[in-house]
Amino acid sequence: MLRPSPLMAAAPAAPVRGSMRMFHGDVFLGETEVFSIKPGPEGTLPFPSNEIRISHLSPASERCPPLAILQTIAPFSVRCKLQAKPLPPHPSLHRLYITCFNEYKSAVVVVGDEELHLVAMPSKVEKVPCFWCCSVRAGLYAASVGMLNLRCLAIVFDLDETLIVANTMKSFEGRIEMLSRRMDVEDDPVRVAGMSAEIKRYIEDRELLKEFIDTDTVTDNGRIIGTQKEEVQPMPGVQERLVRPVIRLPERNAILTRINPEIRDTSVFVKLRPAWEDLRSYLTAKGRKRFEVYVCTMAERDYALEIWRLLDPEANLISLNNLSERVVCVKADSRKSLQHVFKEGGCHPKMAMVIDDRLQVWDEKDQPRVHVVPAYAPYYAPQAEMANAVPVLCVARNVACNVRGGFFREFDENLLKKVFELLYENELLDLPYAPDVGDYLVCEDTNFVPSNKDPPPIPEGMSGAEIEKRLNGRAYQGDQRQISSSTRSADDVRVPIRATLSGSNVQPNGGSLAITPSTFVTVLQEIGRLCNSKVEFRSTVSTSKITQFSVEVLFSNEKIGIGIGKTRDEAQVLAAEKALRNLESNYLSFVAPIGGVLNKDTSKSPRGGNGFLEDVMDSDGDIAMQEPSGSTSEQKDHLNNVDRLSSVISLIRELCLEDQHVVFRDQIQNPGTATNEEYHFQYGLN
């Protein structure tokens, strides 16, 4: 039997190619040659009836070319390429090309629930209309144009135990009864005292709610406060006018309302999480829309709409026209997902972050985009919320600021720059990486410590399908992933911060805030860019029984830091942190003498010539760095390095915040001591 010869093997399928007529509506534009990107069945041309029929042009973009938008919301979705024929092209087709190219528009072909966007591309061949054809879910492009032009992302809030805790008379009584039973069998006097105080807080608020139900008033600190009639603005398509009795107690951070104004038993006592106003004002400050706001909850819909109305009474975060589609309620036995939140095409999940007190309720693919906050527990641990210098929702605000800044820095400096360099003749793999919100959310401890040492015995708030799942004790176990706060303050906050890079923590107003690890790597890479110096990370794997990764940081081909970790990412972060620490130390060692500030000993002779730092192994096997010194010729090099490293200041100014000014002051702590001097820098937001 003859064996098949290699020469007899089937050749790879060639990319599909065809000639098609193009129309705008019913108007004939000209003939085009269409080339598929991929060979074989995957390269089937996407146009039905063997013709290209444009339905409309996309909205014009002010600053983002269509290909940059499409690469962000539908990465590497190029289906085929089009080129006009014959030459010269039909005048109508040439006008379409010029319009799309100059006005940052795309020509849209609608195929079912998909849009095919024809993107005008520059070409090496002059005066030939050329297009790339990209596919995207219908409606998503139009929604994303405005967001990217405004530098806007999406933020999705959970309600219960994230922003508020709400109770009815029934839930109050259930919690009081449960705590009373636990007190009866508890022997630890400290725990008994804690439960007793918790019951007292429940009873106090229950009495206020009972008075509200019976009389439409409450007595607070001897004052009798009556209800205010608040009209609920009807959503589009709803004619019914609804007026609710509401009492707001700002000193208590509480609101009493009635879900159904006709039924007193639907009255609810709502505690708002501290610092909600700070977070809300950041989202709307100066009329700048930084985030499109959504809500995703497992609560009942009427309840969710009323709670959000209390949180956003002036509808500044979600307009009445968008309220119906942006408050999303999911069943208690299902997972939350960004795909479901944006089912109307309002945003791509890659451009959205989530604020929630539970991680595991979200689809696995969305979990990297979730900033997890500690569950709000005002009855169990009323002081925990303000125990840190930065409240939980202010941390969330800072995280949101960092995410937005990192996302659009990548968009502007990488994606946009490279898209502008692309030509029609480029290949699919030449497209740049598209940023993802998940790239800028980093998991670390928040140092949030409740006032009680034990887990709370029961969850706060109303019972229901969502709460019932938490009554088995899981609420504070498996899904309490906590995200670190950021050292970058929000855009419009003026807060003095004292910081040091000599460790991984900064101390704002006496509290502890962890720098997000990705910041170290980003800052180091940006320093290299601003100093016109190459930054390299070289990694190796140890051959010992315990697998460890080692990463060295090279700055202009000289080693300035090393990190060892269980994963390559961990080692890279440690190396970047150590390199930044050394760069800071070196920068201060040169700047202080110039500025007349007493500095560390500069008489040590260098062992290398990089003008930065010299590596010496210490007794623990870690890397210690010696500072260079002092000859006249070397001092000139050092001064040059001062100029280069001064870019650190402008870099950190750029990375820390938006639209702010940063002032740096060098300081020496404990100037009277001869050893273990600690250098700090202080910056203020002006």
Side-chain angles (χ1 to χ4, degrees), residues 207-228:
E207 293 307 309
L208 289 175
L209 180 60
K210 187 177 187 302
E211 186 179 1
F212 173 69
I213 293 173
D214 294 340
T215 66
D216 280 346
T217 64
V218 297
T219 303
D220 185 30
N221 293 326
R223 295 183 303 123
I224 298 177
I225 304 172
T227 60
Q228 299 292 325

Side-chain angles (χ1 to χ4, degrees), residues 547-586:
T547 301
Q548 285 187 318
F549 291 86
S550 173
V551 174
E552 294 179 346
V553 181
L554 302 182
F555 195 101
S556 294
N557 295 320
E558 296 292 341
K559 184 166 64 176
I560 62 170
I562 188 170
I564 299 175
K566 295 179 181 179
T567 66
R568 183 174 283 104
D569 288 344
E570 179 184 355
Q572 184 186 42
V573 167
L574 292 173
E577 177 186 359
K578 191 163 295 184
L580 280 174
R581 211 185 303 159
N582 294 327
L583 286 176
E584 180 214 18
S585 175
N586 185 67

Side-chain angles (χ1 to χ4, degrees), residues 227-456:
T227 60
Q228 299 292 325
K229 301 298 183 181
E230 294 188 2
E231 182 175 354
V232 180
Q233 297 296 326
M235 291 183 292
V238 178
Q239 302 299 324
E240 182 181 359
R241 180 175 177 268
L242 191 63
V243 177
R244 285 195 175 101
V246 175
I247 296 179
R248 296 178 182 267
L249 304 174
E251 297 84 1
R252 291 177 174 267
N253 229 27
I255 304 175
L256 295 95
T257 187
R258 197 164 292 148
I259 304 300
N260 186 336
E262 306 300 323
I263 304 176
R264 290 182 175 269
D265 285 344
T266 63
S267 299
V268 182
F269 189 98
V270 182
K271 275 190 172 292
L272 307 184
R273 192 162 203 161
W276 163 246
E277 289 298 325
D278 293 298
L279 176 54
R280 185 177 70 172
S281 64
Y282 163 71
L283 297 172
T284 59
K286 298 181 181 178
R288 295 175 55 189
K289 181 176 285 189
R290 296 180 173 90
F291 287 87
E292 295 286 356
V293 178
Y294 293 76
V295 173
C296 186
T297 177
M298 292 180 176
E300 187 270 334
R301 186 163 183 78
D302 286 343
Y303 163 83
L305 289 171
E306 172 62 3
I307 294 299
W308 184 254
R309 188 187 71 83
L310 299 177
L311 290 167
D312 184 28
E314 297 177 355
N316 289 328
L317 299 182
I318 302 179
S319 69
L320 293 174
N321 291 332
N322 295 329
L323 191 62
S324 177
E325 65 185 47
R326 292 206 180 181
V327 176
V328 179
C329 299
V330 301
K331 294 180 180 180
D333 57 353
S334 62
R335 278 194 167 188
K336 300 177 180 179
S337 75
L338 291 175
Q339 197 69 38
H340 182 63
V341 172
F342 304 132
K343 62 183 178 182
E344 302 297 329
C347 181
H348 192 281
K350 291 175 58 175
M351 294 173 59
M353 67 174 291
V354 177
I355 307 290
D356 203 326
D357 67 301
R358 295 193 294 165
L359 178 67
Q360 301 303 327
V361 296
W362 286 91
D363 275 353
E364 187 173 345
K365 64 178 178 295
D366 293 326
Q367 290 179 10
R369 304 179 184 115
V370 180
H371 171 64
V372 183
V373 297
Y376 182 33
Y379 296 98
Y380 170 74
Q383 302 304 319
E385 201 69 23
M386 306 304 294
N388 282 353
V390 183
V392 168
L393 291 186
C394 286
V395 172
R397 174 201 63 192
N398 292 347
V399 169
C401 179
N402 282 353
V403 166
R404 178 172 169 266
F407 183 97
F408 284 108
R409 189 171 299 110
E410 175 72 21
F411 184 85
D412 290 338
E413 297 181 5
N414 179 47
L415 189 142
L416 268 184
K417 179 181 178 182
K418 292 182 179 178
V419 162
F420 279 121
E421 296 171 354
L422 290 175
L423 300 174
Y424 171 80
E425 290 77 13
N426 280 100
E427 300 297 331
L428 181 64
L429 294 179
D430 295 329
L431 284 166
Y433 171 77
D436 188 320
V437 158
D439 296 339
Y440 310 101
L441 276 173
V442 182
C443 181
E444 281 187 2
D445 292 336
T446 58
N447 298 315
F448 181 90
V449 181
S451 59
N452 292 336
K453 65 180 181 179
D454 302 313

